[in-house]
Amino acid sequence: MNRENNIILEKILNLRDYVQNLEDIKEEIINHFKNLKDLDDSTRKIWTSNVKEFFYSTVSAWEVLTTITEGKPNLKKIDDSKSFLYAARNRLSQIISQLKIFQSRKSSLLIEKVGVSFKECWDAFWSNFNDLLPKEEFVKPIERIIKISDLEYNLPCSVCSKTAVKFKIGYGRLDEKESLVFRGITLETSLRIELVNILFKILEEDDLLGAHNFMKKYHSPEGVDAYCPECDKIYCWEHYNAWEEYDDGFYDCTYGECPKGHKRMIDD
Ligand SMILES: [Zn+2]
Ligand SMILES: [Zn+2]
C-alpha cells in the first residue's frame, strides 16, 4: 500500500471523532425529550427512535468507508455511504422540527449544537468522498432520454449519467394490473396504462419539458421531480442537492437546488 492510500485511510479513521461528537449530542437530545413534561409517551418513543436513527445512519456511513482497505476507489461503497448520510440529514431535519415544537432556551441550544456538529461531520465526509473518487471528470450522458426497450425509458443525470428517472410499463409495488410506472428521485408512482401512448410519443421526441408537463397534468404540480425547468436538465438526488423538510415532526416536502442555483419544491 502506498503512502497516499495510508493518508486517505487515516482520514477515514479520523472521521470517527466527528461521529463521536454526534453521539454525545444524541444523548443530550434524548435526555431533553425525556424531561419534556408535555410530551406523551408514544410521541416520546417515536422522537427518541428518530434521534437514534439519525445517529446510527451516520455511524453506518462511516462503517461502510472503513471497509475500504485496499486503497482502491470503491464506487459502490462510496454511494452507500452517501445514502446513509442523506438519510441522516433527512432525519436531522425531522428532529429539528420536533425540537421546535416545545420552544425553550435548551431546545434552541440543541438545534444550534446538532446543526453545527452535523455540518462539520458532513463536510469531513465529503472531503473524504472527493479524495476517494477517481480524479477524472464525470462522463456526460450523450442522450437526454435513453430508450431501454419498447417498455422502458431512462433519464440520466446531466452531471454524472446515473439514472435519475425511469418510465416503464410494468407493475409498481402495489399494482394488481399493468401500469405506467414512474420512478423518480423522491417517489415511485403508477399511472393508467392508457397514458403510455401519450408519454412515449413525448419521450421519442426527446422532450424533457413535455415529460415534465405530462407528470404535472397526470400526477402532481411538481412534475418530474428530477427535472429543473430553468436548465431544461435532469439531475440525480445528489446533483439536485435534494433535502427533505419537516413540520412539527411530520414530513412536509422535498426541495431541490440544481448546480446553477435554481431552487424548487420537487415533492409535496
Ligand atoms: Zn448526478
Ligand atoms: Zn437549474
Side-chain angles (χ1 to χ4, degrees):
M1 200 186 296
N2 64 35
R3 222 179 96 76
E4 195 188 334
N5 290 334
N6 271 328
I7 293 171
I8 290 174
L9 291 178
E10 204 180 301
K11 273 186 77 179
I12 292 174
L13 285 179
N14 287 341
L15 284 175
R16 193 197 184 128
D17 295 342
Y18 295 95
V19 177
Q20 179 71 54
N21 208 0
L22 288 174
E23 175 155 40
D24 300 340
I25 299 170
K26 172 200 76 163
E27 286 306 315
E28 277 186 62
I29 297 176
I30 289 175
N31 277 330
H32 176 67
F33 287 159
K34 243 181 230 164
N35 295 328
L36 284 177
K37 289 187 189 67
D38 296 334
L39 195 62
D40 64 87
D41 277 341
S42 65
T43 309
R44 180 176 294 118
K45 252 192 195 150
I46 296 167
W47 289 11
T48 302
S49 75
N50 289 152
V51 179
K52 287 181 181 168
E53 196 190 323
F54 156 70
F55 174 67
Y56 289 110
S57 295
T58 316
V59 172
S60 300
W62 178 67
E63 280 175 351
V64 173
L65 289 186
T66 60
T67 61
I68 297 175
T69 49
E70 294 297 311
K72 285 183 208 153
N74 189 323
L75 295 180
K76 172 79 171 71
K77 285 180 180 172
I78 295 172
D79 252 15
D80 287 349
S81 180
K82 283 179 184 173
S83 298
F84 281 122
L85 216 52
Y86 288 131
R89 184 170 66 169
N90 287 334
R91 214 44 61 234
L92 177 58
S93 175
Q94 186 172 19
I95 294 161
I96 288 175
S97 79
Q98 292 158 349
L99 282 166
K100 280 180 178 165
I101 296 176
F102 297 96
Q103 288 195 356
S104 65
R105 230 177 82 81
K106 178 76 185 162
S107 67
S108 306
L109 278 173
L110 285 172
I111 290 170
E112 160 102 31
K113 204 166 161 185
V114 69
V116 169
S117 297
F118 185 68
K119 173 79 170 61
E120 285 171 1
C121 184
W122 173 275
D123 290 345
F125 267 92
W126 279 91
S127 155
N128 273 278
F129 296 149
N130 294 333
D131 287 344
L132 290 165
L133 285 168
K135 292 293 170 277
E136 63 263 35
E137 288 288 299
F138 290 118
V139 182
K140 293 243 178 199
I142 301 159
E143 295 166 276
R144 287 154 34 105
I145 296 173
I146 300 166
K147 183 172 184 173
I148 303 293
S149 71
D150 286 340
L151 304 177
E152 179 176 345
Y153 290 81
N154 287 355
L155 279 51
C157 170
S158 58
V159 177
C160 69
S161 300
K162 193 193 280 180
T163 299
V165 175
K166 270 182 198 286
F167 285 109
K168 64 174 187 183
I169 297 174
Y171 292 82
R173 246 166 281 167
L174 303 171
D175 292 346
E176 281 170 4
K177 56 180 184 179
E178 212 169 45
S179 310
L180 168 56
V181 180
F182 165 86
R183 206 194 73 205
I185 55 174
T186 61
L187 63 94
E188 183 181 310
T189 188
S190 297
L191 305 173
R192 286 182 285 125
I193 190 82
E194 295 77 30
L195 295 171
V196 160
N197 292 336
I198 304 172
L199 176 73
F200 282 12
K201 187 169 174 297
I202 294 169
L203 296 176
E204 277 304 318
E205 286 164 2
D206 196 41
D207 183 4
L208 287 180
L209 176 61
H212 180 57
N213 287 334
F214 170 89
M215 287 302 287
K216 273 170 116 166
K217 181 167 177 188
Y218 295 107
H219 182 252
S220 72
E222 289 73 33
V224 173
D225 54 6
Y227 178 70
C228 174
E230 280 146 297
C231 296
D232 189 30
K233 280 180 179 165
I234 292 289
Y235 298 105
C236 67
W237 177 277
E238 177 179 341
H239 292 111
Y240 215 152
N241 279 304
W243 72 93
E244 293 179 353
E245 299 244 336
Y246 287 79
D247 203 9
D248 289 346
F250 294 100
Y251 176 73
D252 186 21
C253 59
T254 302
Y255 279 96
E257 185 174 337
C258 81
K260 294 258 156 64
H262 309 131
K263 184 178 158 183
R264 76 176 186 102
M265 192 187 283
I266 58 173
D267 179 55
D268 190 15

